[in-house]
């Protein structure tokens, strides 16, 4: 099967490798010409995968029209804030609704999920499935055993994508709770930021376990308030993803807090950051949800104050530990 992948960065170069390993023809649209040249010439990505080799059957181009002409099966893996502009560009170049969308971008760059956004731009597409995963791209390329989710309101569509990607080291499970799978997998990014504080301050297992437990409670509180399915919370896109992201220094979210805590401010990091960190928009949207439903979310609210009101992280940690005793 021919498959076009829109944007080449670590997550989807890894999934391209899976697709090519499974015998598919894969063409990657790499927005940066140098990335496309490196993939075609060396089958590597120094920038995104530390030079690891990817399948030699993966081809790349820096021309979006060429990628759209290659296949109607589109794998979308774009940082969430760029999703609307990329969809607009696709629509201008090739306004067909005859697309099979596979989305790997997580929610909370706005109040709409990624699937809702794609549906607005292409309301008559053939089908739409999201792939959300608690895993690191480099480990996927290294063929470490990995489990992720294929999520669609239509179980048959999810099963098709499940079969498309699964093999002896990469396994997909299906899920139908589309909105909450996206929300939970985004919220965990924010909790991972707080995990970075703990590591930088040399706090150990007790502290990290407390943080993860409290983070789970805040995620569950939002989910219960807005009628999420319990199995979504406890499965790959919820609990599993949170534990992975908070437990490894490979996470971009985790690494970001090293820089923020060292400066005791988020301002410099936000102004100079050049990597993809989805939690910036996530924290804003979660704060709006908390205010609208009057939810007590001390960890997530503290992150909001640090990121958007320039409160010192060191001050926020003290305030959390000095909160009045209430029934919790």
């Amino acid at each position: 099967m021919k498959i076009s992948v829109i944007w080449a960065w670590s997550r989807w170069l890894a999934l391209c490798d899976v697709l090519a390993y499974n015998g598919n023809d894969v063409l990657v649209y790499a927005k940066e010409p140098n990335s496309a040249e490196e993939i075609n010439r060396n089958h590597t990505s120094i920038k995104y995968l530390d030079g690891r080799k990817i399948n030699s059957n993966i081809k790349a181009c820096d021309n979006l029209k060429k990628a759209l002409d290659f296949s109607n099966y589109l794998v979308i893996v774009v940082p969430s804030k760029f999703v609307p502009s990329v969809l607009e560009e696709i629509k201008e170049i090739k306004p067909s609704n005859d697309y099979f969308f596979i989305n790997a971008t997580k929610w909370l760059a706005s109040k709409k999920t990624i699937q809702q956004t794609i549906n607005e731009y292409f309301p008559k597409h053939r089908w739409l499935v999201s792939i959300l995963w608690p895993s690191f791209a480099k480990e996927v390329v290294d063929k470490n055993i990995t489990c992720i989710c294929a999520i669609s309101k239509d179980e048959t569509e999810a099963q098709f994508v499940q079969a498309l990607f699964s093999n002896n080291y990469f396994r997909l499970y299906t899920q139908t709770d589309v909105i909450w799978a996206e929300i939970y997998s985004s919220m965990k990014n924010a909790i991972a930021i707080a995990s970075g504080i703990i590591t930088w301050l040399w706090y150990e297992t007790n502290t990290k376990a407390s943080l993860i437990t409290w983070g789970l409670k805040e995620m569950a509180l939002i989910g219960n308030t807005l009628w999420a399915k319990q199995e979504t919370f406890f499965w790959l896109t919820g609990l599993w993803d949170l534990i992975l992201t908070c437990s490894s220094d490979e996470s971009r979210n985790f690494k970001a807090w090293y820089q923020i805590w060292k400066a005791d401010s988020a301002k410099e990091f936000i102004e100079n950051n050049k990597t993809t960190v989805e939690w910036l928009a996530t924290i804003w949207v979660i704060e709006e949800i908390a205010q609208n439903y009057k939810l007590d979310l001390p960890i997530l609210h503290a992150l909001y104050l640090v990121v958007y009101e320039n409160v010192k992280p060191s001050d926020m940690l003290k305030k959390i530990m000095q909160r009045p005793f209430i029934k919790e």
Side-chain angles (χ1 to χ4, degrees):
M1 179 179 292
K2 290 185 175 181
I3 302 172
S4 298
V5 179
I6 309 305
W7 277 36
W9 58 320
S10 59
R11 183 184 303 169
W12 270 100
L13 283 176
L15 292 178
C16 287
D17 195 57
V18 173
L19 288 168
Y21 179 92
N22 291 353
N24 298 287
D25 294 326
V26 181
L27 179 64
V28 181
Y29 165 59
K31 196 172 180 67
E32 302 159 317
N34 290 342
S35 292
E37 183 180 350
E38 181 187 355
I39 291 169
N40 290 329
R41 185 181 65 247
N42 301 327
H43 315 299
T44 61
S45 174
I46 299 296
K47 180 176 181 179
Y48 295 114
L49 293 173
D50 294 341
R52 284 171 170 78
K53 288 281 185 180
I54 57 175
N55 195 293
S56 59
N57 289 327
I58 298 169
K59 306 303 179 186
C61 68
D62 58 4
N63 184 298
L64 181 56
K65 184 178 185 304
K66 183 176 180 179
L68 295 176
D69 288 341
F70 182 74
S71 173
N72 286 345
Y73 287 86
L74 298 187
V75 176
I76 305 292
V77 56
V78 179
S80 55
K81 65 181 179 179
F82 297 123
V83 168
S85 61
V86 170
L87 292 175
E88 185 66 41
E89 192 175 357
I90 291 172
K91 195 170 183 177
E92 288 178 2
I93 294 171
K94 193 174 179 182
S96 168
N97 273 295
D98 193 32
Y99 289 122
F100 298 82
F101 284 106
I102 302 172
N103 161 61
T105 300
K106 295 177 179 179
W107 184 57
L108 291 183
S110 70
K111 293 182 180 179
K112 299 173 184 174
T113 69
I114 300 300
Q115 286 209 12
Q116 287 171 332
T117 304
I118 291 174
N119 283 329
E120 283 190 359
Y121 281 87
F122 297 93
K124 297 180 181 180
H125 56 69
R126 297 290 291 274
W127 49 248
L128 169 59
V129 179
S130 288
I131 291 184
L132 301 176
W133 58 338
S135 55
F136 295 125
K138 295 171 187 176
E139 295 186 14
V140 174
V141 173
D142 291 340
K143 307 298 185 289
N144 285 4
I145 291 175
T146 302
C147 299
I148 71 172
C149 279
I151 304 153
S152 176
K153 292 180 179 178
D154 188 322
E155 181 74 17
T156 302
E157 295 177 4
Q159 288 172 347
F160 177 88
V161 173
Q162 178 185 45
L164 183 65
F165 281 90
S166 293
N167 56 37
N168 62 332
Y169 69 91
F170 201 75
R171 183 178 179 88
L172 274 68
Y173 295 86
T174 61
Q175 199 169 313
T176 57
D177 190 9
V178 174
I179 292 177
W180 274 99
E182 288 197 37
I183 293 175
Y184 280 140
S185 62
S186 299
M187 277 198 285
K188 62 86 187 176
N189 287 335
I191 302 298
I193 301 307
S195 183
I197 301 176
I198 291 170
T199 302
W200 183 254
L201 290 177
W202 301 102
Y203 287 117
E204 298 185 23
T205 308
N206 289 353
T207 314
K208 181 166 287 190
S210 298
L211 171 71
I212 292 174
T213 302
W214 193 267
L216 281 169
K217 181 177 180 180
E218 294 191 14
M219 290 169 65
L221 179 59
I222 295 175
N224 290 337
T225 301
L226 299 178
W227 302 98
K229 294 179 181 178
Q230 190 176 66
E231 58 265 32
T232 306
F233 173 72
F234 283 110
W235 192 218
L236 288 162
T237 52
L239 174 62
W240 196 331
D241 206 354
L242 177 65
I243 292 172
L244 177 89
T245 310
C246 289
S247 301
S248 172
D249 58 9
E250 285 296 313
S251 165
R252 291 186 305 272
N253 303 296
F254 185 94
K255 290 177 179 178
W257 256 112
Y258 282 116
Q259 302 173 53
I260 293 172
W261 186 262
K262 190 173 182 179
D264 204 18
S265 169
K267 184 178 180 182
E268 183 179 346
F269 170 79
I270 293 171
E271 289 177 349
N272 298 307
N273 174 59
K274 295 182 181 179
T275 62
T276 302
V277 279
E278 304 284 6
W279 51 267
L280 287 173
T282 298
I283 289 171
W284 177 275
V285 176
I286 290 174
E287 179 69 14
E288 285 197 340
I289 292 172
Q291 294 295 328
N292 289 340
Y293 290 91
K294 296 181 172 55
L295 302 179
D296 183 28
L297 307 173
I299 301 294
L300 292 166
H301 179 63
L303 292 171
Y304 170 81
L305 293 176
V306 168
V307 171
Y308 288 101
E309 299 192 10
N310 204 32
V311 175
K312 290 184 177 181
S314 54
D315 291 341
M316 287 312 309
L317 186 59
K318 293 174 185 176
K319 288 180 180 179
I320 288 174
M321 292 305 297
Q322 295 170 357
R323 280 164 43 88
F325 295 118
I326 58 175
K327 185 177 180 180
E328 296 178 313

